[in-house]
């Protein structure tokens, strides 16, 4: 019951919907292209930053920690620029920090699983597996709100699952440039499940909290950075060799700023001009972009069957997203028909016969 209430609160606010409608077609097109390219590059940056090493020389925890600390300062700067010292002071209030503490902790956990998974699978495989969020989200909505998908949508989701499985199996059979391990797949799928759940928590918290967005953003990032710091101190400090940062190169810096930080800014601001349909299509298109990015820039070998499996996943994801859009339109149409007197000709004629002169 509690999860169902959170899911209802997590629905997009009217303000965001109005913002999306007000944006010009040119702005929406530019946002779609920018977000699609950035999301595709983010996963590729994680693999690229490893260089020729099997595992990254930098510590995963340090990348997450540094990127979130930078985001904290960005949040404080935005709070001060929009609301002055009053809003900046709210960013340090214990009540506000406590409200987002558990959410930041879960987000940090998702980042850890994401970074660790790319040590065991390549970026394109991770991107394909990340599309399982459609299946996980549909299942969560079914369990939390009791809203099942239509038969057509379930078959599309099964087609998506089949495409992902084909991509992994064909890629493994071809060998060569594909990096695959069951452990890496498990990490990637766990990350997707965490992302689906924490997105509901975060949206609900943002809806309930009355503070300006920069205050909410900075409070979330404080707990996110704190959780990353604890993970770094425990994993690479107490349980590791004591080297908290490992070997950083220019590739690591690019990953932090052009990967994690830019992804955060795009998610929080640029994506406001896009509705949920185009956001999901953007992520699906990223599957193919990441695959061709590996072929062109990371030395991977092109494989027709693997590419075809990736395209199958993209088409299935787009079909599912569009089916949901059509379902929503149908609901609105049904409501409009119910309110339209012309849909009840017999009742109308009966009322007219009994109308007083």
């Amino acid at each position: 019951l509690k999860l169902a209430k959170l899911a209802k609160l997590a629905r997009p606010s009217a303000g965001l919907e109005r913002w999306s409608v007000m944006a010009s077609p040119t702005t929406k097109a530019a946002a779609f292209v920018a977000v699609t390219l950035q999301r595709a590059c983010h996963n590729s940056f994680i693999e690229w930053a490893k260089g020729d090493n099997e595992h990254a020389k930098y510590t995963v925890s340090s990348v997450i920690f540094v990127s979130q600390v930078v985001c904290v300062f960005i949040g404080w700067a935005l709070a001060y620029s929009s609301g002055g010292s009053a809003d900046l002071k709210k960013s340090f209030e214990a009540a506000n920090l406590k409200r987002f503490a558990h959410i930041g902790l879960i987000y940090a956990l998702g980042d850890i699983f994401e970074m660790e998974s790319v040590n065991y699978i390549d970026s394109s495989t991770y991107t394909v597996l990340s599309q399982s969020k459609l299946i996980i989200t549909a299942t969560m909505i079914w369990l939390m709100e009791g809203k099942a998908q239509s038969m057509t949508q379930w078959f599309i989701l099964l087609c998506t699952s089949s495409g992902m499985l084909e991509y992994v199996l064909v890629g493994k059979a071809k060998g060569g440039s594909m990096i695959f391990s069951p452990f890496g797949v498990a990490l990637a799928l766990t990350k997707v499940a965490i992302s689906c759940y924490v997105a509901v928590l975060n949206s609900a918290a943002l809806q309930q909290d009355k503070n300006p967005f920069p205050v909410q953003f900075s409070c979330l990032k404080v707990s996110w950075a704190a959780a990353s710091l604890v993970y770094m101190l425990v994993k690479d400090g107490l349980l590791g060799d004591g080297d908290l940062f490992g070997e950083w190169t220019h590739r690591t810096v690019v990953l932090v700023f052009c990967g994690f930080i830019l992804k955060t800014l795009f998610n929080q601001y640029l994506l406001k001009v896009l509705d949920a349909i185009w956001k999901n299509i953007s992520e699906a298109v990223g599957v193919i972009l990441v695959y061709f990015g590996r072929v062109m820039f990371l030395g991977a070998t092109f494989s027709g069957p693997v590419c075809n499996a990736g395209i199958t996943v993209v088409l299935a994801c787009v079909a599912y997203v569009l089916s949901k859009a059509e379902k929503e339109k149908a609901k609105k149409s049904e409501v409009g028909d119910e309110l339209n007197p012309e849909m009840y000709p017999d009742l109308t004629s009966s009322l007219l016969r009994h109308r007083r002169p």
Side-chain angles (χ1 to χ4, degrees), residues 138-160:
T139 305
M140 288 178 64
I141 292 175
W142 182 26
L143 296 175
M144 288 163 27
E145 296 189 65
K147 295 181 180 179
Q149 306 293 306
S150 66
M151 186 65 67
T152 301
Q153 289 174 329
W154 280 121
F155 272 102
I156 295 176
L157 289 174
L158 290 175
C159 181
T160 305

Side-chain angles (χ1 to χ4, degrees), residues 48-189:
W48 173 75
K50 294 191 301 182
D52 297 328
N53 304 302
E54 183 179 357
H55 298 285
K57 293 296 183 181
Y58 57 82
T59 60
V60 168
S61 56
S62 65
V63 169
I64 301 173
F65 172 67
V66 172
S67 61
Q68 297 311 315
V69 168
V70 173
C71 287
V72 169
F73 282 98
I74 292 175
W76 288 341
L78 291 173
Y80 183 79
S81 63
S82 61
S85 56
D87 279 2
L88 181 61
K89 185 178 180 181
K90 291 179 181 178
S91 302
F92 295 92
E93 293 181 0
N96 294 332
L97 292 171
K98 183 179 178 180
R99 186 173 297 111
F100 292 94
H102 66 293
I103 300 175
L105 172 62
I106 301 175
Y107 265 123
L109 188 62
D111 278 351
I112 292 168
F113 276 99
E114 178 184 42
M115 292 289 290
E116 294 289 359
S117 67
V118 183
N119 278 324
Y120 300 94
I121 57 176
D122 59 85
S123 57
S124 60
T125 303
Y126 172 81
T127 307
V128 169
L129 292 174
S130 67
Q131 301 310 306
S132 62
K133 72 183 183 65
L134 297 177
I135 306 168
I136 294 175
T137 301
T139 305
M140 288 178 64
I141 292 175
W142 182 26
L143 296 175
M144 288 163 27
E145 296 189 65
K147 295 181 180 179
Q149 306 293 306
S150 66
M151 186 65 67
T152 301
Q153 289 174 329
W154 280 121
F155 272 102
I156 295 176
L157 289 174
L158 290 175
C159 181
T160 305
S161 303
S162 177
M164 289 188 295
L165 182 61
E166 179 188 2
Y167 182 92
V168 172
L169 294 179
V170 172
K172 184 181 180 182
K174 293 293 180 180
S177 59
M178 183 173 181
I179 305 172
F180 172 87
S181 78
F183 182 64
V185 171
L187 290 176
L189 293 177

